Amino acid sequence: VYWSVQCAHCRKSLPEINRWVRANGDDVNVVTAAKIDNEAMKVQTREFVNMHGFVFPTILDVDSKIFEAYSITATPTMFVVGPDGKVESLLSVGDDFGKQVEAKKRTLLGSAVGG
């Protein structure tokens, strides 16, 4: 998940994703990267992550390398990376994260995973 602390959708979505990962994330790895434009954003991002007790790592993209490498145009942007390390697809913002993840798991790993 690529996000920014200044993005209202991100501030709403990330705590929801964190709740889902706490309850269901045993076989899913969630990693986030936060767009950092200045020192104030770095501080705000760390405070937000700590306040919500994120159980997944958050990379601080202070030099926009991740932003540029993945041609990101908006936040949040949610990528699904398959077992082979390739970006498989994007998840829709605003849809049920858990349902989307479970569907992608079944697609990528077969019907034996997740029921």
Side-chain angles (χ1 to χ4, degrees):
V1 179
Y2 194 89
W3 64 287
S4 168
V5 73
Q6 294 181 335
C7 163
H9 293 295
C10 300
R11 289 192 310 272
K12 180 178 185 266
S13 298
L14 269 290
E16 292 172 4
I17 291 169
N18 192 52
R19 282 189 289 279
W20 184 88
V21 171
R22 282 181 189 265
N24 306 287
D26 291 339
D27 57 352
V28 174
N29 294 316
V30 173
V31 176
T32 71
K35 183 168 178 32
I36 305 295
D37 291 334
N38 54 52
E39 191 62 32
M41 280 181 73
K42 184 188 285 187
V43 170
Q44 291 169 345
T45 299
R46 286 184 177 149
E47 289 173 350
F48 186 82
V49 167
N50 291 336
M51 178 175 65
H52 291 285
F54 288 174
V55 295
F56 41 77
T58 296
I59 300 163
L60 302 180
D61 190 20
V62 296
D63 54 9
S64 296
K65 287 190 188 274
I66 297 168
F67 184 83
E68 293 168 6
Y70 288 90
S71 301
I72 295 169
T73 59
T75 57
T77 297
M78 300 181 207
F79 297 98
V80 174
V81 179
D84 59 2
K86 294 180 182 175
V87 174
E88 196 276 332
S89 62
L90 296 174
L91 295 184
S92 301
V93 177
D95 291 340
D96 185 294
F97 178 79
K99 287 181 183 176
Q100 289 186 80
V101 169
E102 292 300 327
K104 287 295 176 187
K105 279 182 4 188
R106 284 190 295 276
T107 300
L108 289 171
L109 304 175
S111 59
V113 175

